[in-house]
Coordinates of all heavy atoms in Angstrom, one line a residue:
A4 N 0.8 -1.2 0.0 CA 0.0 0.0 0.0 C 0.9 1.3 0.0 O 2.0 1.3 0.6 CB -0.9 0.0 1.2
S5 N 0.4 2.3 -0.6 CA 1.1 3.5 -0.7 C 1.1 4.2 0.7 O 0.2 3.9 1.5 CB 0.6 4.4 -1.7 OG -0.7 4.9 -1.3
L6 N 2.0 5.2 0.9 CA 2.1 5.9 2.1 C 0.8 6.7 2.3 O 0.2 6.6 3.5 CB 3.2 6.9 2.0 CG 3.4 7.8 3.3 CD1 3.6 6.9 4.5 CD2 4.6 8.7 3.0
S7 N 0.2 7.3 1.3 CA -1.0 8.0 1.5 C -2.2 7.1 1.9 O -3.0 7.4 2.6 CB -1.4 8.9 0.3 OG -1.5 8.0 -0.9
T8 N -2.3 5.9 1.3 CA -3.3 4.9 1.6 C -3.2 4.5 3.0 O -4.1 4.4 3.8 CB -3.2 3.7 0.7 OG1 -3.4 4.2 -0.6 CG2 -4.3 2.7 1.0
T9 N -2.0 4.2 3.5 CA -1.7 3.8 4.9 C -2.1 4.9 5.8 O -2.7 4.7 6.8 CB -0.2 3.3 5.0 OG1 0.1 2.3 4.1 CG2 0.0 2.9 6.5
A10 N -1.7 6.1 5.5 CA -2.0 7.2 6.4 C -3.5 7.4 6.5 O -4.0 7.7 7.6 CB -1.3 8.5 5.9
F11 N -4.2 7.3 5.4 CA -5.6 7.5 5.4 C -6.3 6.3 6.3 O -7.2 6.7 7.0 CB -6.2 7.4 3.9 CG -7.7 7.6 3.9 CD1 -8.3 8.8 4.2 CD2 -8.5 6.5 3.6 CE1 -9.6 9.0 4.1 CE2 -9.9 6.7 3.6 CZ -10.5 7.9 3.8
K12 N -5.9 5.2 6.1 CA -6.4 4.0 6.9 C -6.2 4.2 8.4 O -7.0 4.0 9.2 CB -5.9 2.7 6.5 CG -6.4 2.3 5.1 CD -5.9 0.9 4.8 CE -6.5 0.5 3.4 NZ -5.9 -0.7 2.9
L13 N -4.9 4.8 8.7 CA -4.7 5.1 10.2 C -5.6 6.2 10.7 O -6.0 6.2 11.8 CB -3.2 5.4 10.3 CG -2.2 4.3 10.2 CD1 -0.8 4.8 10.0 CD2 -2.3 3.4 11.4
Y14 N -5.8 7.2 9.8 CA -6.6 8.3 10.2 C -8.0 7.8 10.5 O -8.6 8.2 11.5 CB -6.6 9.3 9.1 CG -7.1 10.7 9.4 CD1 -6.3 11.5 10.2 CD2 -8.3 11.2 8.9 CE1 -6.8 12.7 10.6 CE2 -8.7 12.4 9.2 CZ -8.0 13.2 10.0 OH -8.5 14.5 10.3
Q15 N -8.5 6.9 9.6 CA -9.9 6.4 9.8 C -9.9 5.6 11.1 O -10.9 5.7 11.8 CB -10.3 5.4 8.6 CG -10.6 6.2 7.4 CD -11.1 5.2 6.3 OE1 -10.4 4.2 6.1 NE2 -12.2 5.5 5.7
T16 N -9.0 4.7 11.4 CA -8.9 4.0 12.6 C -8.9 4.9 13.8 O -9.6 4.6 14.7 CB -7.6 3.1 12.6 OG1 -7.7 2.2 11.5 CG2 -7.6 2.3 13.9
R17 N -8.2 5.9 13.7 CA -8.1 6.8 14.9 C -9.4 7.4 15.2 O -9.8 7.4 16.4 CB -7.1 8.0 14.6 CG -7.1 9.0 15.7 CD -6.2 10.1 15.4 NE -6.3 11.0 16.6 CZ -6.8 12.2 16.5 NH1 -7.1 12.8 15.4 NH2 -6.8 13.0 17.6
F18 N -10.2 7.8 14.2 CA -11.5 8.4 14.5 C -12.5 7.4 14.8 O -13.5 7.8 15.5 CB -11.9 9.4 13.4 CG -11.2 10.6 13.5 CD1 -10.0 10.9 12.8 CD2 -11.6 11.6 14.5 CE1 -9.3 12.1 12.9 CE2 -10.9 12.8 14.6 CZ -9.8 13.0 13.9
K19 N -12.4 6.2 14.5 CA -13.3 5.1 14.8 C -13.2 4.7 16.2 O -14.1 4.4 16.9 CB -13.2 3.9 13.9 CG -13.7 4.2 12.5 CD -13.6 2.8 11.7 CE -14.0 3.0 10.3 NZ -13.8 1.9 9.5
L20 N -11.9 4.7 16.8 CA -11.6 4.1 18.0 C -11.1 5.1 19.0 O -10.9 4.8 20.2 CB -10.6 3.0 17.9 CG -11.1 1.8 17.1 CD1 -10.0 0.9 16.8 CD2 -12.2 1.1 17.7
A21 N -10.7 6.3 18.6 CA -9.9 7.2 19.4 C -10.4 7.5 20.8 O -9.8 7.3 21.8 CB -9.6 8.4 18.7
H22 N -11.7 8.0 20.8 CA -12.1 8.7 22.0 C -13.2 7.7 22.7 O -14.2 7.4 22.3 CB -12.8 10.1 21.7 CG -11.8 11.0 21.1 ND1 -10.8 11.5 21.8 CD2 -11.7 11.3 19.8 CE1 -10.1 12.2 20.9 NE2 -10.7 12.1 19.8
V23 N -12.7 7.3 24.0 CA -13.7 6.6 24.8 C -14.5 7.6 25.5 O -14.0 8.6 26.1 CB -12.8 5.8 25.9 CG1 -13.8 5.1 26.8 CG2 -12.0 4.8 25.2
D24 N -15.8 7.6 25.3 CA -16.7 8.5 25.8 C -16.7 8.4 27.3 O -17.4 7.5 27.9 CB -18.1 8.4 25.2 CG -19.1 9.4 25.8 OD1 -18.7 10.2 26.6 OD2 -20.2 9.3 25.2
T25 N -16.1 9.3 28.1 CA -15.9 9.2 29.5 C -17.3 9.4 30.2 O -17.5 9.1 31.3 CB -14.9 10.0 30.0 OG1 -15.1 11.4 29.7 CG2 -13.5 9.7 29.6
S26 N -18.3 10.0 29.5 CA -19.5 10.3 30.2 C -20.4 9.0 30.4 O -21.2 8.8 31.2 CB -20.4 11.2 29.4 OG -20.7 10.7 28.1
N27 N -20.1 7.9 29.5 CA -20.8 6.7 29.7 C -19.9 5.4 29.6 O -20.3 4.4 29.3 CB -21.9 6.5 28.6 CG -21.4 6.3 27.2 OD1 -20.2 6.3 27.0 ND2 -22.3 6.2 26.3
F28 N -18.6 5.6 29.9 CA -17.7 4.6 29.8 C -18.0 3.4 30.8 O -17.7 2.3 30.6 CB -16.2 5.0 29.9 CG -15.7 5.2 31.3 CD1 -15.0 4.2 31.9 CD2 -15.9 6.4 32.0 CE1 -14.6 4.4 33.2 CE2 -15.5 6.5 33.3 CZ -14.8 5.6 33.9
A29 N -18.7 3.8 31.9 CA -19.0 2.7 32.9 C -19.9 1.7 32.3 O -19.9 0.5 32.7 CB -19.6 3.4 34.1
R30 N -20.7 2.1 31.3 CA -21.6 1.2 30.6 C -21.0 0.4 29.5 O -21.5 -0.6 29.0 CB -22.8 1.9 30.0 CG -23.7 2.4 31.1 CD -24.9 3.1 30.5 NE -24.4 4.5 30.2 CZ -25.1 5.3 29.5 NH1 -26.3 5.1 29.0 NH2 -24.6 6.6 29.2
K31 N -19.7 0.8 29.1 CA -19.1 0.1 28.0 C -18.6 -1.3 28.6 O -18.1 -1.3 29.7 CB -17.9 0.9 27.5 CG -18.4 2.1 26.7 CD -17.3 2.7 25.9 CE -17.7 3.9 25.2 NZ -18.5 3.6 24.0
K32 N -18.5 -2.2 27.8 CA -18.1 -3.5 28.1 C -16.5 -3.5 28.2 O -15.9 -2.8 27.3 CB -18.5 -4.6 27.3 CG -20.0 -4.8 27.3 CD -20.5 -5.9 26.4 CE -22.1 -5.9 26.5 NZ -22.6 -6.9 25.7
N33 N -15.9 -4.2 29.1 CA -14.4 -4.3 29.2 C -13.8 -4.7 27.8 O -12.8 -4.2 27.4 CB -14.0 -5.3 30.3 CG -14.2 -4.7 31.6 OD1 -14.3 -3.5 31.8 ND2 -14.3 -5.6 32.6
H34 N -14.5 -5.7 27.2 CA -14.1 -6.1 25.9 C -13.9 -5.0 24.9 O -12.9 -4.9 24.2 CB -15.0 -7.3 25.4 CG -14.7 -7.7 23.9 ND1 -13.6 -8.5 23.7 CD2 -15.2 -7.4 22.8 CE1 -13.5 -8.6 22.4 NE2 -14.5 -8.0 21.8
D35 N -15.0 -4.1 24.9 CA -14.9 -3.0 23.9 C -13.8 -2.1 24.2 O -13.1 -1.6 23.2 CB -16.2 -2.3 24.0 CG -17.4 -3.0 23.5 OD1 -17.2 -4.0 22.8 OD2 -18.6 -2.7 23.9
L36 N -13.5 -1.7 25.5 CA -12.4 -0.9 25.8 C -11.1 -1.5 25.5 O -10.2 -0.9 24.9 CB -12.5 -0.5 27.3 CG -13.7 0.3 27.7 CD1 -13.8 0.4 29.2 CD2 -13.7 1.6 27.1
H37 N -10.9 -2.8 25.8 CA -9.7 -3.5 25.5 C -9.4 -3.6 24.0 O -8.3 -3.5 23.5 CB -9.6 -4.8 26.2 CG -9.4 -4.8 27.7 ND1 -8.3 -4.3 28.2 CD2 -10.3 -4.9 28.6 CE1 -8.4 -4.3 29.6 NE2 -9.6 -4.7 29.8
E38 N -10.5 -3.8 23.2 CA -10.4 -3.9 21.8 C -9.9 -2.6 21.2 O -9.1 -2.5 20.3 CB -11.7 -4.3 21.2 CG -11.6 -4.6 19.7 CD -13.0 -5.0 19.1 OE1 -13.9 -5.4 19.8 OE2 -13.1 -5.0 17.8
A39 N -10.4 -1.5 21.8 CA -10.1 -0.1 21.3 C -8.6 0.1 21.6 O -7.8 0.6 20.8 CB -10.9 0.9 22.0
V40 N -8.1 -0.3 22.8 CA -6.7 -0.1 23.2 C -5.8 -1.0 22.3 O -4.8 -0.5 21.7 CB -6.5 -0.4 24.7 CG1 -5.0 -0.6 25.0 CG2 -7.2 0.6 25.5
T41 N -6.2 -2.2 22.0 CA -5.4 -3.1 21.2 C -5.3 -2.5 19.8 O -4.2 -2.6 19.2 CB -6.0 -4.5 21.2 OG1 -6.0 -5.0 22.5 CG2 -5.2 -5.4 20.3
T42 N -6.4 -2.1 19.3 CA -6.3 -1.5 17.9 C -5.5 -0.3 17.8 O -4.8 -0.1 16.9 CB -7.8 -1.2 17.4 OG1 -8.5 -2.5 17.5 CG2 -7.8 -0.7 16.0
L43 N -5.7 0.6 18.8 CA -4.9 1.8 18.8 C -3.4 1.5 19.0 O -2.5 2.2 18.5 CB -5.3 2.8 20.0 CG -6.7 3.5 19.6 CD1 -7.2 4.1 20.9 CD2 -6.4 4.6 18.5
E44 N -3.0 0.5 19.8 CA -1.6 0.1 19.9 C -1.1 -0.3 18.6 O 0.0 0.1 18.3 CB -1.5 -1.1 20.9 CG -1.7 -0.7 22.4 CD -1.8 -1.8 23.3 OE1 -2.1 -3.0 22.9 OE2 -1.6 -1.6 24.5
K45 N -1.9 -1.1 17.8 CA -1.4 -1.5 16.5 C -1.2 -0.3 15.6 O -0.3 -0.2 14.8 CB -2.4 -2.5 15.9 CG -2.3 -3.9 16.6 CD -3.4 -4.7 16.0 CE -3.5 -6.0 16.7 NZ -4.6 -6.9 16.2
A46 N -2.2 0.6 15.6 CA -2.2 1.8 14.8 C -1.0 2.7 15.1 O -0.4 3.2 14.2 CB -3.5 2.6 14.9
A47 N -0.7 2.8 16.4 CA 0.4 3.6 16.9 C 1.8 3.0 16.3 O 2.6 3.7 15.8 CB 0.5 3.7 18.3
R48 N 1.9 1.6 16.4 CA 3.2 1.0 15.9 C 3.2 1.2 14.4 O 4.3 1.6 13.9 CB 3.1 -0.5 16.2 CG 3.5 -0.8 17.7 CD 3.8 -2.2 17.9 NE 2.7 -3.1 17.4 CZ 1.7 -3.4 18.2 NH1 1.6 -3.0 19.5 NH2 0.7 -4.3 17.8
I49 N 2.1 1.1 13.6 CA 2.2 1.2 12.2 C 2.5 2.7 11.8 O 3.3 3.0 10.9 CB 0.9 0.8 11.5 CG1 0.8 -0.8 11.7 CG2 0.8 1.1 10.0 CD1 -0.7 -1.3 11.4
S50 N 1.8 3.6 12.5 CA 2.0 5.0 12.2 C 3.4 5.4 12.5 O 4.0 6.1 11.6 CB 1.0 5.8 13.0 OG 1.1 7.2 12.7
K51 N 4.0 5.0 13.6 CA 5.4 5.4 13.8 C 6.3 4.8 12.8 O 7.3 5.5 12.4 CB 5.8 4.9 15.3 CG 7.1 5.3 15.7 CD 7.4 4.9 17.1 CE 8.7 5.5 17.5 NZ 9.0 5.1 18.9
R52 N 6.1 3.6 12.4 CA 6.9 2.9 11.4 C 6.8 3.6 10.0 O 7.8 3.9 9.4 CB 6.7 1.5 11.3 CG 7.6 0.7 10.4 CD 7.3 -0.8 10.3 NE 6.1 -1.0 9.5 CZ 5.0 -1.6 9.9 NH1 5.0 -2.2 11.1 NH2 3.9 -1.7 9.1
V53 N 5.6 3.9 9.7 CA 5.3 4.4 8.3 C 5.5 5.9 8.2 O 6.2 6.4 7.2 CB 4.0 3.9 7.8 CG1 3.6 4.6 6.5 CG2 3.8 2.5 7.7
L54 N 5.0 6.6 9.1 CA 5.0 8.0 9.0 C 6.1 8.7 9.9 O 6.4 9.9 9.6 CB 3.6 8.6 9.5 CG 2.4 8.1 8.8 CD1 1.1 8.6 9.4 CD2 2.5 8.5 7.3
G55 N 6.5 8.0 10.9 CA 7.6 8.5 11.8 C 7.0 9.1 13.1 O 5.8 9.4 13.1
G56 N 7.8 9.1 14.1 CA 7.4 9.5 15.4 C 6.9 11.0 15.5 O 6.2 11.3 16.4
A57 N 7.5 11.8 14.6 CA 7.2 13.2 14.7 C 6.0 13.6 13.9 O 5.5 14.8 14.0 CB 8.4 14.0 14.2
H58 N 5.4 12.7 13.2 CA 4.2 13.0 12.3 C 3.0 13.4 13.3 O 2.8 12.7 14.3 CB 3.9 11.9 11.4 CG 2.9 12.2 10.3 ND1 1.6 12.3 10.6 CD2 3.1 12.6 9.1 CE1 1.0 12.6 9.5 NE2 1.9 12.8 8.5
P59 N 2.2 14.4 12.9 CA 1.0 14.8 13.8 C 0.0 13.6 14.0 O -0.6 13.5 15.0 CB 0.4 15.9 13.0 CG 1.5 16.5 12.1 CD 2.4 15.3 11.8
L60 N -0.2 12.8 12.9 CA -1.1 11.7 13.1 C -0.6 10.6 14.1 O -1.3 10.1 14.9 CB -1.4 11.0 11.7 CG -2.4 9.8 11.8 CD1 -3.7 10.3 12.4 CD2 -2.6 9.3 10.4
T61 N 0.7 10.4 14.1 CA 1.4 9.5 15.0 C 1.2 10.0 16.4 O 0.8 9.3 17.4 CB 2.8 9.3 14.7 OG1 3.0 8.8 13.4 CG2 3.5 8.3 15.7
A62 N 1.4 11.3 16.6 CA 1.2 11.9 18.0 C -0.2 11.9 18.4 O -0.5 11.6 19.5 CB 1.7 13.4 17.9
A63 N -1.2 12.1 17.5 CA -2.6 12.0 17.8 C -3.0 10.6 18.2 O -3.7 10.5 19.2 CB -3.4 12.6 16.7
I64 N -2.5 9.7 17.5 CA -2.9 8.3 17.8 C -2.3 7.9 19.2 O -3.0 7.3 20.0 CB -2.4 7.3 16.8 CG1 -3.2 7.5 15.5 CG2 -2.5 5.9 17.2 CD1 -2.6 6.8 14.3
K65 N -1.1 8.3 19.5 CA -0.5 8.1 20.8 C -1.3 8.7 21.9 O -1.5 8.1 23.0 CB 1.0 8.5 20.8 CG 1.7 8.4 22.1 CD 1.9 7.0 22.5 CE 2.8 6.9 23.7 NZ 2.2 6.2 24.8
E66 N -1.7 9.9 21.7 CA -2.5 10.6 22.7 C -3.9 9.9 22.9 O -4.3 9.7 24.1 CB -2.8 12.1 22.3 CG -3.5 12.9 23.3 CD -3.8 14.3 22.8 OE1 -2.8 14.9 22.3 OE2 -4.9 14.8 23.0
D67 N -4.5 9.5 21.8 CA -5.7 8.7 22.0 C -5.5 7.4 22.7 O -6.3 6.9 23.5 CB -6.4 8.5 20.6 CG -6.8 9.7 19.9 OD1 -7.1 10.7 20.6 OD2 -6.9 9.7 18.7
L68 N -4.4 6.7 22.4 CA -4.0 5.5 23.1 C -3.9 5.7 24.6 O -4.5 5.0 25.4 CB -2.8 4.9 22.5 CG -2.2 3.7 23.1 CD1 -3.2 2.5 23.2 CD2 -0.9 3.2 22.5
D69 N -3.2 6.7 24.9 CA -3.0 7.1 26.4 C -4.3 7.4 27.0 O -4.5 6.8 28.1 CB -2.1 8.3 26.5 CG -0.6 8.1 26.1 OD1 -0.2 6.9 26.0 OD2 0.1 9.0 25.8
E70 N -5.2 8.1 26.4 CA -6.5 8.4 27.0 C -7.3 7.1 27.2 O -8.1 6.9 28.2 CB -7.2 9.4 26.2 CG -6.7 10.8 26.2 CD -7.4 11.7 25.3 OE1 -8.4 11.4 24.6 OE2 -6.9 12.9 25.2
S71 N -7.3 6.2 26.2 CA -8.0 4.9 26.2 C -7.4 4.1 27.3 O -8.2 3.4 28.0 CB -7.9 4.3 24.9 OG -8.6 5.0 23.9
Q72 N -6.1 4.0 27.4 CA -5.5 3.2 28.6 C -5.9 3.8 29.8 O -6.2 3.0 30.8 CB -4.0 3.2 28.3 CG -3.6 2.3 27.2 CD -2.1 2.5 26.8 OE1 -1.5 3.5 27.1 NE2 -1.5 1.4 26.3
D73 N -6.0 5.1 30.0 CA -6.4 5.7 31.3 C -7.9 5.3 31.6 O -8.2 5.0 32.7 CB -6.3 7.2 31.2 CG -4.8 7.7 31.2 OD1 -3.9 6.9 31.5 OD2 -4.6 8.8 30.9
A74 N -8.7 5.3 30.5 CA -10.1 4.9 30.8 C -10.2 3.5 31.3 O -11.0 3.2 32.1 CB -10.9 5.1 29.5
V75 N -9.5 2.6 30.7 CA -9.5 1.2 31.1 C -9.1 1.1 32.5 O -9.7 0.4 33.3 CB -8.6 0.3 30.1 CG1 -8.3 -1.0 30.7 CG2 -9.2 0.2 28.7
Q76 N -8.0 1.8 32.9 CA -7.5 1.7 34.3 C -8.5 2.3 35.2 O -8.7 1.7 36.3 CB -6.2 2.4 34.4 CG -5.6 2.3 35.7 CD -5.3 0.9 36.1 OE1 -4.7 0.2 35.3 NE2 -5.7 0.5 37.3
L77 N -9.2 3.4 34.8 CA -10.2 4.0 35.7 C -11.3 3.1 35.9 O -11.8 2.9 37.0 CB -10.6 5.3 35.1 CG -11.7 6.1 35.9 CD1 -11.2 6.4 37.3 CD2 -12.1 7.3 35.1
K78 N -11.8 2.4 34.8 CA -12.8 1.4 34.9 C -12.5 0.3 35.9 O -13.3 -0.1 36.7 CB -13.3 0.9 33.6 CG -14.5 0.0 33.6 CD -15.0 -0.3 32.2 CE -16.1 -1.2 32.2 NZ -17.4 -0.7 32.8
K79 N -11.2 -0.2 35.8 CA -10.7 -1.3 36.7 C -10.8 -0.7 38.2 O -11.2 -1.4 39.0 CB -9.3 -1.6 36.3 CG -9.2 -2.5 35.2 CD -7.8 -2.9 34.9 CE -7.5 -3.7 33.7 NZ -6.1 -4.0 33.4
D80 N -10.3 0.5 38.4 CA -10.2 1.1 39.7 C -11.6 1.2 40.3 O -11.9 1.0 41.5 CB -9.5 2.4 39.7 CG -8.1 2.3 39.4 OD1 -7.5 1.2 39.4 OD2 -7.5 3.4 39.1
L81 N -12.6 1.6 39.5 CA -13.9 1.9 40.0 C -14.7 0.6 40.3 O -15.6 0.6 41.1 CB -14.7 2.7 39.0 CG -14.3 4.2 38.8 CD1 -15.0 4.9 37.8 CD2 -14.5 4.9 40.2
S82 N -14.3 -0.5 39.6 CA -15.0 -1.7 39.7 C -14.5 -2.5 40.9 O -15.0 -3.6 41.2 CB -15.0 -2.6 38.4 OG -13.7 -2.9 38.1
G83 N -13.4 -2.0 41.5 CA -12.9 -2.6 42.7 C -12.0 -3.7 42.4 O -11.5 -4.6 42.9

């Protein structure tokens, strides 16, 4: 795949999975949250390899990944 095709697919992935809605995340299933994190982890690795660590899309995916991981941890903490 070309660089532009790969970047576009990463961009689509980011917007499909990026933001865990913290207003209703307690109702989200653990599987859904973990799937989002796993997919963002893969997207981050691909983006870094293809676009480079300094690319804005790579940075945005990493930020989304961090937020999603925080949401998973918060859900774990709240569920005891």
Side-chain angles (χ1 to χ4, degrees):
S5 71
L6 179 59
S7 60
T8 301
T9 302
F11 180 72
K12 287 180 181 178
L13 287 168
Y14 195 71
Q15 283 182 315
T16 299
R17 176 179 179 245
F18 281 96
K19 285 181 185 174
L20 299 171
H22 301 288
V23 175
D24 183 358
T25 56
S26 65
N27 71 356
F28 82 96
R30 289 179 281 170
K31 291 192 180 286
K32 295 181 179 175
N33 286 337
H34 172 76
D35 294 338
L36 295 173
H37 287 288
E38 184 178 349
V40 168
T41 299
T42 303
L43 285 166
E44 287 171 339
K45 290 177 187 176
R48 284 192 302 271
I49 293 168
S50 184
K51 186 174 181 180
R52 184 181 72 235
V53 175
L54 303 174
H58 193 280
L60 182 56
T61 302
I64 291 170
K65 176 67 172 121
E66 183 178 316
D67 294 338
L68 173 60
D69 291 343
E70 290 174 5
S71 296
Q72 288 171 328
D73 290 345
V75 168
Q76 186 60 50
L77 180 60
K78 185 167 177 68
K79 283 181 186 177
D80 293 346
L81 292 175
S82 65

